[in-house]
Amino acid sequence: MKIEKLTNAISLQRSVDQANENHLETVHEVIEQVKQKGDKALFAYTEKWDGAKLASLQVTKEEVDEAYASFDPQLIEDLKEAANNIRLFHSQQVRQNIDFPLANNSYIQYKISPLDAVGLYVPGGTAAYPSSVLMNAIPALVAGVKRVVIVSPPSKDGKLPASVLVAARIAGVSEIYKVGGAQAIAALAYGTETIKAVDKITGPGNSFVALAKREVFGKVAIDMIAGPSEIAVLADETAYADEVASDLLAQAEHDRFACSVLVTTSEKLAEQVAIEVEKQLKELPREEIARASIENFGCIYIAGTLEQAITAINELAPEHLEIMTEHAEAISEKINHAGAIFIGRFSSEPVGDYFAGTNHVLPTNSTARFSSGLCVDDFVKKTSVVYYSEEMWQAQYPKIARLARLEQLEGHARSVESRSWEKGDLN
Amino acid sequence: MKIEKLTNAISLQRSVDQANENHLETVHEVIEQVKQKGDKALFAYTEKWDGAKLASLQVTKEEVDEAYASFDPQLIEDLKEAANNIRLFHSQQVRQNIDFPLANNSYIQYKISPLDAVGLYVPGGTAAYPSSVLMNAIPALVAGVKRVVIVSPPSKDGKLPASVLVAARIAGVSEIYKVGGAQAIAALAYGTETIKAVDKITGPGNSFVALAKREVFGKVAIDMIAGPSEIAVLADETAYADEVASDLLAQAEHDRFACSVLVTTSEKLAEQVAIEVEKQLKELPREEIARASIENFGCIYIAGTLEQAITAINELAPEHLEIMTEHAEAISEKINHAGAIFIGRFSSEPVGDYFAGTNHVLPTNSTARFSSGLCVDDFVKKTSVVYYSEEMWQAQYPKIARLARLEQLEGHARSVESRSWEKGDLN
């Protein structure tokens, strides 16, 4: 792993757009076909691309029962505990309506209500992570969304991974469809005979899925289209090199484009971590992926001072930040931009990926400067309500009419004045 | 204004994309030039497109003083009162951090912090609305954003409208630049010598502005790209036709593509409103615009029952909804999808446009199903914090490692287990 002196801002020059524009024509065609032919198109594409000839799209209760019964009971307990932690923490994010009384028995209000229906995309194969099912479904359910739907591409035998079905049941989602790719996104956005349209689509996916989400955006809401995962570790001489290295590699094993960065004030630690990374890489099952990530996008930066290191981290606005220094908690207060912060050596990033209760869907590619991880807010909408009594209107309408005329919107002024017009025999 | 029986869902088939793709090449070039040449490009484009040869980009304190001194004091009072109402209501939206204690002296946390810097685009000419300055700037300032910047294209004499400068001062914004179009958006996103980059850009604009915002999205955050404005009025036989008509026309005068719809259970009201609309149209300064809107996109729907009317409104999810019926407040409880709801005849929509305190930047084109008006939330970001003590880690890490291995992410398991590895002489 390369070591550099930290001089200027850390830059992450990566190809982060997962949407391959070459697939756009295909995606347009898929969406059009699903809009026109509904389920028929879903069956056809699933046979063509997933190699599965399905009798029906929806996963039955029996299939989930079977997956659940055959699943390791210890893992079911672990998933349940993780789900519970996520549910508890996200429940804290639930907001109440704002009722704001005005003079003259009038009021304004801010009504917070859940979306009606949300679709969660779960990728197939080894990218089908049960933890992602929990992290996407639970905030929606906590928000009060009545209908949460999962779509996921089946394997050739027409099945979904047991871990996805088990996580769905633990999260509380029972409407699950065996369909993936752009066709699944089209079905969620426009609806088919079997799959009713939703209002928002979340969850990660391949290039076809990312492009399809971009295309249906506006018809429905979508979550962010995430880039490759990132971690920055801020460490001083008190950190253990083997621990830092293992954390860098946990990120690197995700994806060739993942980015793991260490910023440290200790030259000794820098050197030891480089050695440890190489040592641990050799023993990692996903060595090839992790090595590509570390070699292309990994770096150890040696900072002259802790302040310089903190400034660089804030510039970077990493998705994940681990702080393994003396006074780590105090230092975390100086971090203005990060998706999630992990304080101290016992809070390694997988604690948040799986278990602590915070969400693991986080802003990548420096967007933590202005955006946030997935949360209950993403599944509600807010409606303003205005009630003016006659007395309140009487007191305020001349001001409103003047402001409208300042903007040369005479019709607006007349609207608010019309209540004073002498009423004829219209009614 | 045409009258129809309400049978199926009300559909709004409108050309709502304000971004003209033909301008895309120009926008790309402008962004590139601003990135390369900075201020120089801003001066050149402002001379070319706004006809203004500027000595400097930034509005001086003296210019604002002058605008303020020459402004109608009554209007200053009105704007101040409006600003105060907006500030008070938006202050209710401010949220506190969530501190969530866990066992073993551990905790997770949700830190809510303002964005560092926000840019507000204000269109030029007659579309330069002081109310929009208040509605965009105040939520950002209430959120705690330290740097709020306004950009707006100057007129040929190199000036910005006095109303914009006055509204900016009342809102509390003092950093204002005389630059508009795609070049202003590029400057806000990438920064120039004079204009430091921001983290988010909000505010309406023409096709060039909308396209430029779309292009810089990802580098910075942007607000929604709003479609033409809409109103639905839900009224029964107790409503006054002249009032309903004036409210429909207040919407219609905005824009040829604006959409005004009345849904009523009263045939009599329907007929009277149609007559009133025609009568009032003839006296409206913006008759031509309002007439085009009413003729192309306006409609009066006669519903068989109130329930049918409510269902149609919920399907429509209008930007603005006025309810002028008996028991209007009770009926408002049945509305699930609307940007803003105005209850009763004394709460006409301009009350919210200018004065009540709610925001007038609202979701259009049925997106109120899943999105919300501008609010304090749009100017903050949320960061998760995880702190596990040694005892907590000891209790939980085997579960976390098992969940990681379930997902075949061995590196994740080792990261959380590494804290138990026997420490060598690395440190």
Side-chain angles (χ1 to χ4, degrees):
Chain A
M1 195 167 179
K2 65 173 181 283
I3 303 181
E4 288 181 11
K5 286 258 176 237
L6 180 61
T7 48
N8 287 307
I10 300 168
S11 75
L12 295 179
Q13 291 303 329
R14 294 180 298 159
S15 156
V16 293
D17 195 350
Q18 300 202 347
N20 181 338
E21 300 292 336
N22 298 332
H23 297 156
L24 194 57
E25 210 177 312
T26 309
V27 166
H28 281 155
E29 194 196 312
V30 170
I31 294 175
E32 216 32 65
Q33 288 289 311
V34 173
K35 279 167 82 169
Q36 282 174 26
K37 300 185 185 160
D39 284 351
K40 217 179 137 188
L42 300 184
F43 283 117
Y45 284 123
T46 304
E47 188 169 353
K48 182 174 173 190
W49 284 323
D50 303 308
K53 209 170 156 66
L54 299 176
S56 67
L57 291 164
Q58 190 162 4
V59 172
T60 62
K61 184 176 169 300
E62 288 67 35
E63 285 176 276
V64 184
D65 287 343
E66 198 189 311
Y68 203 85
S70 65
F71 212 69
D72 178 347
Q74 176 68 69
L75 285 170
I76 288 183
E77 282 317 301
D78 294 338
L79 283 169
K80 276 188 179 171
E81 193 171 343
N84 201 41
N85 292 345
I86 298 164
R87 204 175 287 119
L88 277 173
F89 183 59
H90 285 75
S91 298
Q92 305 290 315
Q93 299 168 7
V94 173
R95 297 164 73 187
Q96 302 305 316
N97 293 347
I98 298 171
D99 293 301
F100 195 66
L102 303 174
N104 296 306
N105 293 314
S106 301
Y107 62 83
I108 50 183
Q109 206 182 20
Y110 209 49
K111 277 181 24 174
I112 298 173
S113 51
L115 305 190
D116 282 355
V118 167
L120 160 55
Y121 190 89
V122 179
T126 55
Y129 294 139
S131 61
S132 293
V133 173
L134 303 183
M135 292 291 180
N136 280 272
I138 292 174
L141 291 160
V142 167
V145 176
K146 290 223 176 53
R147 183 169 165 255
V148 178
V149 181
I150 287 174
V151 293
S152 188
S155 52
K156 286 197 174 117
D157 60 359
K159 290 188 172 179
L160 294 188
S163 65
V164 168
L165 300 184
V166 167
R169 172 158 295 178
I170 289 170
V173 176
S174 56
E175 188 179 341
I176 309 169
Y177 299 100
K178 297 170 184 175
V179 60
Q183 59 274 24
I185 302 301
L188 290 173
Y190 294 99
T192 68
E193 301 90 324
T194 302
I195 305 179
K196 254 185 81 185
V198 301
D199 297 309
K200 182 164 188 165
I201 303 172
T202 72
N206 64 17
S207 170
F208 291 98
V209 171
L211 279 171
K213 279 168 74 176
R214 220 171 65 185
E215 289 299 307
V216 302
F217 174 60
K219 174 73 176 72
V220 298
I222 61 169
D223 59 352
M224 57 191 158
I225 294 177
S229 201
E230 310 149 0
I231 194 167
V233 178
L234 174 61
D236 63 14
E237 70 287 352
T238 65
Y240 291 91
D242 59 338
E243 297 176 4
V244 172
S246 73
D247 295 359
L248 297 172
L249 290 177
Q251 207 60 33
E253 74 172 344
H254 266 298
D255 185 333
R256 289 167 191 282
F257 292 99
C259 176
S260 302
V261 162
L262 166 63
V263 184
T264 180
T265 47
S266 163
E267 262 185 69
K268 190 175 163 209
L269 184 78
E271 283 158 26
Q272 289 168 341
V273 168
I275 294 165
E276 268 292 325
V277 163
E278 185 51 38
K279 186 176 137 196
Q280 292 182 28
L281 255 178
K282 287 186 184 134
E283 294 159 13
L284 203 62
R286 294 165 75 108
E287 178 186 353
E288 199 198 321
I289 293 169
R291 189 177 290 282
S293 157
I294 291 288
E295 282 177 3
N296 293 317
F297 306 109
C299 192
I300 297 171
Y301 294 95
I302 300 173
T305 63
L306 198 55
E307 280 60 45
Q308 193 198 11
I310 291 168
T311 303
I313 298 280
N314 275 325
E315 285 282 323
L316 184 62
E319 182 190 12
H320 306 99
L321 171 67
E322 288 185 358
I323 307 178
M324 285 191 272
T325 60
E326 272 202 300
H327 314 298
E329 193 169 11
I331 286 170
S332 80
E333 298 289 328
K334 297 184 180 176
I335 302 300
N336 302 322
H337 307 297
I341 302 173
F342 299 83
I343 299 177
R345 56 183 283 243
F346 295 106
S347 317
S348 83
E349 192 254 15
V351 169
D353 277 349
Y354 291 108
F355 202 76
T358 53
N359 207 290
H360 79 195
V361 181
L362 294 165
T364 56
N365 202 32
S366 300
T367 59
R369 288 190 69 82
F370 50 75
S371 58
S372 311
L374 199 70
C375 63
V376 169
D377 295 345
D378 293 312
F379 298 103
V380 303
K381 61 202 163 68
K382 296 155 275 189
T383 307
S384 312
V385 181
V386 176
Y387 171 71
Y388 261 30
S389 66
E390 181 166 3
E391 297 68 35
M392 188 67 168
W393 164 80
Q394 192 78 48
Q396 311 297 358
Y397 84 83
K399 304 169 193 171
I400 298 168
R402 282 195 296 266
L403 289 171
R405 291 199 171 98
L406 168 63
E407 296 188 348
Q408 297 169 44
L409 293 174
E410 178 65 24
H412 282 60
R414 291 184 189 174
S415 158
V416 78
E417 287 172 345
S418 68
R419 277 61 181 170
S420 66
W421 296 346
E422 208 174 317
K423 296 302 161 196
D425 55 0
L426 282 171
N427 276 279
Chain B
M1 194 166 180
K2 66 173 179 284
I3 303 181
E4 288 181 11
K5 286 260 178 236
L6 179 62
T7 47
N8 287 307
I10 299 168
S11 75
L12 296 178
Q13 291 304 332
R14 293 180 300 159
S15 155
V16 292
D17 194 351
Q18 300 201 351
N20 182 339
E21 299 292 335
N22 298 333
H23 296 155
L24 193 57
E25 209 176 313
T26 309
V27 166
H28 281 155
E29 193 196 313
V30 169
I31 294 174
E32 215 34 63
Q33 288 289 312
V34 173
K35 278 167 83 168
Q36 283 174 25
K37 301 186 183 158
D39 284 352
K40 216 180 138 188
L42 300 184
F43 282 116
Y45 284 123
T46 304
E47 186 168 355
K48 182 176 172 188
W49 284 323
D50 303 308
K53 211 170 155 64
L54 300 176
S56 68
L57 291 165
Q58 189 161 5
V59 173
T60 63
K61 183 176 169 299
E62 288 67 35
E63 286 176 276
V64 184
D65 287 344
E66 197 189 312
Y68 203 86
S70 66
F71 213 68
D72 178 346
Q74 176 68 68
L75 286 170
I76 288 183
E77 283 316 302
D78 294 337
L79 283 169
K80 276 188 178 171
E81 194 171 345
N84 200 41
N85 292 345
I86 297 164
R87 206 175 284 119
L88 277 173
F89 183 59
H90 285 75
S91 299
Q92 304 292 316
Q93 298 167 9
V94 174
R95 297 164 74 186
Q96 302 305 315
N97 292 349
I98 298 170
D99 292 302
F100 195 66
L102 303 174
N104 295 307
N105 292 314
S106 302
Y107 62 83
I108 51 182
Q109 206 182 17
Y110 209 50
K111 277 182 24 174
I112 298 173
S113 51
L115 305 189
D116 282 355
V118 167
L120 160 56
Y121 190 91
V122 179
T126 55
Y129 295 140
S131 60
S132 292
V133 173
L134 303 183
M135 292 291 179
N136 280 274
I138 292 174
L141 291 160
V142 167
V145 176
K146 291 224 175 52
R147 182 169 166 253
V148 179
V149 182
I150 287 174
V151 292
S152 188
S155 53
K156 286 198 173 111
D157 61 358
K159 289 187 172 177
L160 295 189
S163 65
V164 168
L165 300 184
V166 168
R169 173 158 293 179
I170 289 170
V173 176
S174 55
E175 188 180 342
I176 309 169
Y177 299 99
K178 298 170 183 175
V179 61
Q183 60 273 24
I185 302 301
L188 290 173
Y190 294 98
T192 68
E193 300 89 323
T194 302
I195 305 179
K196 253 184 81 185
V198 301
D199 297 308
K200 182 164 188 166
I201 303 173
T202 73
N206 64 17
S207 169
F208 291 98
V209 171
L211 279 172
K213 279 168 75 177
R214 223 171 61 184
E215 290 297 308
V216 302
F217 173 60
K219 174 72 177 74
V220 298
I222 61 168
D223 60 351
M224 56 192 158
I225 294 177
S229 201
E230 312 149 358
I231 194 167
V233 178
L234 174 61
D236 63 13
E237 69 287 351
T238 65
Y240 291 91
D242 59 337
E243 297 176 4
V244 173
S246 73
D247 295 359
L248 296 173
L249 290 176
Q251 208 60 33
E253 76 172 344
H254 266 299
D255 185 333
R256 287 166 194 284
F257 291 98
C259 176
S260 301
V261 162
L262 166 63
V263 184
T264 179
T265 47
S266 164
E267 264 185 67
K268 190 175 164 208
L269 183 78
E271 283 158 24
Q272 289 169 341
V273 168
I275 294 164
E276 268 292 323
V277 163
E278 185 52 39
K279 186 176 138 198
Q280 292 181 28
L281 254 178
K282 287 185 183 134
E283 294 159 14
L284 202 63
R286 294 165 76 105
E287 178 186 354
E288 198 197 321
I289 291 169
R291 188 177 290 282
S293 156
I294 291 288
E295 283 177 2
N296 293 317
F297 306 109
C299 191
I300 297 171
Y301 293 95
I302 300 173
T305 63
L306 198 54
E307 280 61 44
Q308 192 198 12
I310 291 168
T311 303
I313 299 280
N314 275 326
E315 284 283 321
L316 184 61
E319 182 188 12
H320 305 98
L321 172 67
E322 288 185 357
I323 306 178
M324 286 192 271
T325 60
E326 272 200 301
H327 313 298
E329 194 169 11
I331 285 169
S332 79
E333 298 289 328
K334 298 183 179 178
I335 302 299
N336 302 320
H337 307 297
I341 301 174
F342 299 83
I343 298 177
R345 58 184 281 244
F346 294 107
S347 316
S348 83
E349 191 256 12
V351 169
D353 278 349
Y354 292 108
F355 202 75
T358 52
N359 207 292
H360 78 195
V361 180
L362 293 166
T364 56
N365 201 32
S366 300
T367 59
R369 288 191 69 79
F370 50 75
S371 58
S372 311
L374 200 69
C375 63
V376 169
D377 294 344
D378 294 311
F379 299 103
V380 303
K381 64 204 161 68
K382 296 156 274 188
T383 307
S384 313
V385 182
V386 175
Y387 172 71
Y388 261 31
S389 65
E390 182 168 2
E391 297 69 33
M392 187 67 167
W393 165 79
Q394 191 77 49
Q396 311 297 358
Y397 85 82
K399 304 169 193 171
I400 299 168
R402 282 195 296 264
L403 289 170
R405 292 201 170 97
L406 168 63
E407 296 188 350
Q408 296 169 45
L409 292 173
E410 178 64 24
H412 283 60
R414 292 185 189 174
S415 158
V416 78
E417 286 171 345
S418 68
R419 277 61 182 171
S420 67
W421 296 346
E422 207 174 315
K423 297 302 161 198
D425 55 359
L426 283 170
N427 276 279

PDB file of all heavy atoms in Angstrom, chain B residues 141-158:
ATOM      1  N   LEU B 141     -30.975  29.783   6.353  1.00  0.00           N
ATOM      2  CA  LEU B 141     -30.413  30.516   7.491  1.00  0.00           C
ATOM      3  C   LEU B 141     -30.916  29.946   8.818  1.00  0.00           C
ATOM      4  O   LEU B 141     -30.156  29.818   9.778  1.00  0.00           O
ATOM      5  CB  LEU B 141     -30.749  32.007   7.363  1.00  0.00           C
ATOM      6  CG  LEU B 141     -30.010  32.696   6.198  1.00  0.00           C
ATOM      7  CD1 LEU B 141     -30.694  33.993   5.794  1.00  0.00           C
ATOM      8  CD2 LEU B 141     -28.548  32.950   6.569  1.00  0.00           C
ATOM      9  N   VAL B 142     -32.186  29.574   8.854  1.00  0.00           N
ATOM     10  CA  VAL B 142     -32.744  28.964  10.065  1.00  0.00           C
ATOM     11  C   VAL B 142     -32.038  27.632  10.353  1.00  0.00           C
ATOM     12  O   VAL B 142     -31.784  27.284  11.508  1.00  0.00           O
ATOM     13  CB  VAL B 142     -34.271  28.761   9.936  1.00  0.00           C
ATOM     14  CG1 VAL B 142     -34.804  27.859  11.038  1.00  0.00           C
ATOM     15  CG2 VAL B 142     -34.994  30.113   9.965  1.00  0.00           C
ATOM     16  N   ALA B 143     -31.693  26.912   9.298  1.00  0.00           N
ATOM     17  CA  ALA B 143     -30.988  25.633   9.467  1.00  0.00           C
ATOM     18  C   ALA B 143     -29.594  25.844  10.050  1.00  0.00           C
ATOM     19  O   ALA B 143     -28.991  24.911  10.567  1.00  0.00           O
ATOM     20  CB  ALA B 143     -30.886  24.899   8.133  1.00  0.00           C
ATOM     21  N   GLY B 144     -29.090  27.064   9.935  1.00  0.00           N
ATOM     22  CA  GLY B 144     -27.762  27.355  10.468  1.00  0.00           C
ATOM     23  C   GLY B 144     -26.673  27.421   9.412  1.00  0.00           C
ATOM     24  O   GLY B 144     -25.485  27.454   9.750  1.00  0.00           O
ATOM     25  N   VAL B 145     -27.070  27.451   8.144  1.00  0.00           N
ATOM     26  CA  VAL B 145     -26.071  27.561   7.071  1.00  0.00           C
ATOM     27  C   VAL B 145     -25.343  28.898   7.233  1.00  0.00           C
ATOM     28  O   VAL B 145     -25.978  29.944   7.316  1.00  0.00           O
ATOM     29  CB  VAL B 145     -26.741  27.481   5.677  1.00  0.00           C
ATOM     30  CG1 VAL B 145     -25.716  27.703   4.566  1.00  0.00           C
ATOM     31  CG2 VAL B 145     -27.439  26.140   5.500  1.00  0.00           C
ATOM     32  N   LYS B 146     -24.016  28.831   7.311  1.00  0.00           N
ATOM     33  CA  LYS B 146     -23.259  30.052   7.620  1.00  0.00           C
ATOM     34  C   LYS B 146     -23.150  30.964   6.408  1.00  0.00           C
ATOM     35  O   LYS B 146     -23.115  32.178   6.531  1.00  0.00           O
ATOM     36  CB  LYS B 146     -21.844  29.672   8.100  1.00  0.00           C
ATOM     37  CG  LYS B 146     -21.850  29.006   9.457  1.00  0.00           C
ATOM     38  CD  LYS B 146     -20.755  29.532  10.367  1.00  0.00           C
ATOM     39  CE  LYS B 146     -20.922  28.907  11.740  1.00  0.00           C
ATOM     40  NZ  LYS B 146     -21.025  27.421  11.687  1.00  0.00           N
ATOM     41  N   ARG B 147     -23.043  30.358   5.239  1.00  0.00           N
ATOM     42  CA  ARG B 147     -22.835  31.175   4.037  1.00  0.00           C
ATOM     43  C   ARG B 147     -23.974  30.933   3.048  1.00  0.00           C
ATOM     44  O   ARG B 147     -24.093  29.864   2.464  1.00  0.00           O
ATOM     45  CB  ARG B 147     -21.488  30.801   3.418  1.00  0.00           C
ATOM     46  CG  ARG B 147     -21.140  31.614   2.193  1.00  0.00           C
ATOM     47  CD  ARG B 147     -19.685  31.395   1.754  1.00  0.00           C
ATOM     48  NE  ARG B 147     -19.562  31.944   0.424  1.00  0.00           N
ATOM     49  CZ  ARG B 147     -19.443  31.196  -0.684  1.00  0.00           C
ATOM     50  NH1 ARG B 147     -19.344  29.894  -0.607  1.00  0.00           N
ATOM     51  NH2 ARG B 147     -19.395  31.780  -1.866  1.00  0.00           N
ATOM     52  N   VAL B 148     -24.828  31.932   2.907  1.00  0.00           N
ATOM     53  CA  VAL B 148     -25.906  31.868   1.917  1.00  0.00           C
ATOM     54  C   VAL B 148     -25.628  32.962   0.891  1.00  0.00           C
ATOM     55  O   VAL B 148     -25.430  34.122   1.239  1.00  0.00           O
ATOM     56  CB  VAL B 148     -27.291  32.063   2.568  1.00  0.00           C
ATOM     57  CG1 VAL B 148     -28.389  32.028   1.511  1.00  0.00           C
ATOM     58  CG2 VAL B 148     -27.549  30.986   3.625  1.00  0.00           C
ATOM     59  N   VAL B 149     -25.580  32.559  -0.362  1.00  0.00           N
ATOM     60  CA  VAL B 149     -25.167  33.432  -1.453  1.00  0.00           C
ATOM     61  C   VAL B 149     -26.316  33.564  -2.435  1.00  0.00           C
ATOM     62  O   VAL B 149     -26.993  32.576  -2.720  1.00  0.00           O
ATOM     63  CB  VAL B 149     -23.997  32.764  -2.217  1.00  0.00           C
ATOM     64  CG1 VAL B 149     -23.507  33.653  -3.341  1.00  0.00           C
ATOM     65  CG2 VAL B 149     -22.882  32.394  -1.272  1.00  0.00           C
ATOM     66  N   ILE B 150     -26.529  34.748  -2.961  1.00  0.00           N
ATOM     67  CA  ILE B 150     -27.518  34.918  -4.034  1.00  0.00           C
ATOM     68  C   ILE B 150     -26.796  35.238  -5.332  1.00  0.00           C
ATOM     69  O   ILE B 150     -25.862  36.043  -5.355  1.00  0.00           O
ATOM     70  CB  ILE B 150     -28.519  36.041  -3.672  1.00  0.00           C
ATOM     71  CG1 ILE B 150     -29.473  35.546  -2.575  1.00  0.00           C
ATOM     72  CG2 ILE B 150     -29.301  36.506  -4.905  1.00  0.00           C
ATOM     73  CD1 ILE B 150     -30.412  36.604  -2.030  1.00  0.00           C
ATOM     74  N   VAL B 151     -27.224  34.594  -6.405  1.00  0.00           N
ATOM     75  CA  VAL B 151     -26.766  34.976  -7.752  1.00  0.00           C
ATOM     76  C   VAL B 151     -27.995  35.339  -8.566  1.00  0.00           C
ATOM     77  O   VAL B 151     -29.042  34.701  -8.456  1.00  0.00           O
ATOM     78  CB  VAL B 151     -25.998  33.839  -8.465  1.00  0.00           C
ATOM     79  CG1 VAL B 151     -24.671  33.556  -7.783  1.00  0.00           C
ATOM     80  CG2 VAL B 151     -26.829  32.571  -8.561  1.00  0.00           C
ATOM     81  N   SER B 152     -27.863  36.375  -9.391  1.00  0.00           N
ATOM     82  CA  SER B 152     -29.002  36.826 -10.197  1.00  0.00           C
ATOM     83  C   SER B 152     -28.470  37.649 -11.366  1.00  0.00           C
ATOM     84  O   SER B 152     -27.527  38.427 -11.206  1.00  0.00           O
ATOM     85  CB  SER B 152     -29.935  37.663  -9.313  1.00  0.00           C
ATOM     86  OG  SER B 152     -31.126  37.959 -10.003  1.00  0.00           O
ATOM     87  N   PRO B 153     -29.054  37.460 -12.547  1.00  0.00           N
ATOM     88  CA  PRO B 153     -28.527  38.179 -13.719  1.00  0.00           C
ATOM     89  C   PRO B 153     -28.871  39.673 -13.661  1.00  0.00           C
ATOM     90  O   PRO B 153     -30.003  40.028 -13.345  1.00  0.00           O
ATOM     91  CB  PRO B 153     -29.242  37.505 -14.894  1.00  0.00           C
ATOM     92  CG  PRO B 153     -30.496  36.947 -14.308  1.00  0.00           C
ATOM     93  CD  PRO B 153     -30.181  36.597 -12.895  1.00  0.00           C
ATOM     94  N   PRO B 154     -27.907  40.527 -13.950  1.00  0.00           N
ATOM     95  CA  PRO B 154     -28.171  41.965 -13.906  1.00  0.00           C
ATOM     96  C   PRO B 154     -28.913  42.424 -15.170  1.00  0.00           C
ATOM     97  O   PRO B 154     -28.883  41.756 -16.204  1.00  0.00           O
ATOM     98  CB  PRO B 154     -26.767  42.567 -13.884  1.00  0.00           C
ATOM     99  CG  PRO B 154     -25.930  41.583 -14.641  1.00  0.00           C
ATOM    100  CD  PRO B 154     -26.511  40.225 -14.334  1.00  0.00           C
ATOM    101  N   SER B 155     -29.570  43.562 -15.057  1.00  0.00           N
ATOM    102  CA  SER B 155     -30.118  44.193 -16.263  1.00  0.00           C
ATOM    103  C   SER B 155     -28.975  44.899 -17.000  1.00  0.00           C
ATOM    104  O   SER B 155     -27.841  44.907 -16.531  1.00  0.00           O
ATOM    105  CB  SER B 155     -31.224  45.173 -15.866  1.00  0.00           C
ATOM    106  OG  SER B 155     -30.729  46.067 -14.896  1.00  0.00           O
ATOM    107  N   LYS B 156     -29.304  45.482 -18.160  1.00  0.00           N
ATOM    108  CA  LYS B 156     -28.249  46.063 -19.011  1.00  0.00           C
ATOM    109  C   LYS B 156     -27.422  47.130 -18.297  1.00  0.00           C
ATOM    110  O   LYS B 156     -26.251  47.316 -18.595  1.00  0.00           O
ATOM    111  CB  LYS B 156     -28.879  46.660 -20.268  1.00  0.00           C
ATOM    112  CG  LYS B 156     -29.323  45.578 -21.242  1.00  0.00           C
ATOM    113  CD  LYS B 156     -29.533  46.132 -22.640  1.00  0.00           C
ATOM    114  CE  LYS B 156     -29.815  45.007 -23.607  1.00  0.00           C
ATOM    115  NZ  LYS B 156     -31.187  45.006 -24.117  1.00  0.00           N
ATOM    116  N   ASP B 157     -28.060  47.814 -17.349  1.00  0.00           N
ATOM    117  CA  ASP B 157     -27.326  48.854 -16.619  1.00  0.00           C
ATOM    118  C   ASP B 157     -26.492  48.273 -15.471  1.00  0.00           C
ATOM    119  O   ASP B 157     -25.969  49.025 -14.637  1.00  0.00           O
ATOM    120  CB  ASP B 157     -28.297  49.918 -16.090  1.00  0.00           C
ATOM    121  CG  ASP B 157     -29.326  49.335 -15.121  1.00  0.00           C
ATOM    122  OD1 ASP B 157     -29.292  48.095 -14.895  1.00  0.00           O
ATOM    123  OD2 ASP B 157     -30.164  50.087 -14.600  1.00  0.00           O
ATOM    124  N   GLY B 158     -26.403  46.953 -15.421  1.00  0.00           N
ATOM    125  CA  GLY B 158     -25.538  46.326 -14.415  1.00  0.00           C
ATOM    126  C   GLY B 158     -26.144  46.284 -13.023  1.00  0.00           C
ATOM    127  O   GLY B 158     -25.428  46.133 -12.037  1.00  0.00           O
TER     128      GLY B 158
END
